[in-house]
Amino acid sequence: MDAALDIFRALADSSRLRIVCLLRTMELSVGELAQVLGQSQPRVSRHVKILTDAGLAERRKEGSWVFVALGDEARVAPVLAALDAWEAGTSDRQASADAARLAAVRADRAAAAAGWFESHAREWDAIRSLHVAEEQVEAAMVRVLAGEPIGRLIDIGTGTGRMIELFARAATTALGIDRSSEMLRLARAKLGEQGLGNAELRQADLYALPLGDGGADVAILHHVLHFAQQPGAAIAEAARVLSPGGRLLIADFAPHDREELRTQDAHTRLGFSDAQIEGWFAAAGLMPARIETLEGGELTVKLWLGRKTAGRAGEVKAA
């Protein structure tokens, strides 16, 4: 009864009901909620605290921003079902107005993302020109993961959210993590237009993933490992969150001598050998399951698939 009372008290305010409905559509910052609701940020923050205390919302700080998402599904789902039942066949002017203002928030996000990409396009294009087309890399990744359900996906170092965009529809849940709050804002702008209700983005470190042991079935490190100071530790942490039999897919570069990528683009490692990756896999309790080589430029892209040991060894396939 106490939990039910907390929930009903939290929802006994039109602004908080509006917040719940907005969060059902997408994760929003406190500032964006204030923009949609037409209220001050301090007032919205108070509403969010009440919803959070009742377990109906979650707050996550990313740099100077605070993002808000719906709380635990077991607690929120009955509330949403009740709202749907009560509102069936009715029209709500306030909800329509909120939806229009939410569209403006999405447009602001998209404009900010477009501006960032425009200012950084030359840097990205310079690196991409050195290796096989990214479309071919993505097609190979899809091929390597095909044949088994994706299940619960975690994209480590999600950046602009491309891997979430690529795989989330085949997953039961999809979590993208990144240390950069700016990159996460870009990812939200991009994914907000995709209608991926099972996708979530969080600010976190690749050495301390926000999942318990066995909390994911597939983990992806796409062009991330060469930035890591401790690649072995990053692989071990990814392996920790995998369920038995779960898969880790790494897409990165084979060893190369493009030293300018270290000095100009912050690449800590100039590629990896099969032996290095397999050594880190073994230390993390992963069996090598597949290796693919994608040539077609000055840099060779490699795909390494590891499977968390679950009683039997995997077979290495080279391509």
Side-chain angles (χ1 to χ4, degrees), residues 108-271:
D108 288 345
R109 285 187 178 186
W116 189 91
F117 280 119
E118 184 176 351
S119 64
H120 290 77
R122 289 185 181 180
E123 303 166 24
W124 284 42
D125 289 345
I127 296 176
R128 287 179 175 178
S129 68
L130 297 175
H131 62 79
V132 67
E134 195 61 32
E135 290 82 1
Q136 292 177 252
V137 177
E138 292 177 0
M141 295 177 73
V142 170
R143 183 171 63 249
V144 167
L145 288 176
E148 297 180 41
I150 297 292
R152 300 163 297 171
L153 170 69
I154 180 168
D155 180 30
I156 304 167
T158 195
T160 60
R162 176 55 186 162
M163 292 296 102
I164 298 293
E165 186 180 18
L166 188 63
F167 289 106
R169 287 182 176 82
T172 53
T173 61
L175 172 63
I177 71 102
D178 205 286
R179 286 189 64 185
S180 168
S181 57
E182 181 178 13
M183 295 302 284
L184 289 172
R185 286 196 288 274
L186 293 169
R188 285 190 180 91
K190 187 177 182 181
L191 298 178
E193 303 300 323
Q194 303 296 318
L196 299 174
N198 65 336
E200 181 183 0
L201 298 169
R202 295 190 196 179
Q203 186 177 34
D205 193 287
L206 79 168
Y207 302 115
L209 299 175
L211 285 179
D213 295 355
D217 302 304
V218 170
I220 293 176
L221 284 162
H222 174 252
H223 289 317
V224 169
L225 208 60
H226 58 253
F227 291 111
Q229 297 287 341
Q230 298 175 288
I235 289 173
E237 178 63 0
R240 178 189 66 78
V241 302
L242 287 176
S243 58
R247 296 172 291 165
L248 169 62
L249 177 58
I250 299 172
D252 220 297
F253 300 123
H256 62 85
D257 59 1
R258 297 299 297 250
E259 188 66 34
E260 74 275 12
L261 294 181
R262 194 195 306 275
T263 57
Q264 297 175 13
D265 298 287
H267 289 205
T268 301
R269 300 296 183 104
L270 299 184

Side-chain angles (χ1 to χ4, degrees), residues 1-10 53-55 75:
M1 289 296 292
D2 288 344
L5 285 171
D6 289 341
I7 290 171
F8 282 113
R9 289 190 188 109
D53 290 344
R75 178 162 290 203

Side-chain angles (χ1 to χ4, degrees), residues 67 145 147 204 238 305:
F67 282 90
L145 288 176
L305 182 69

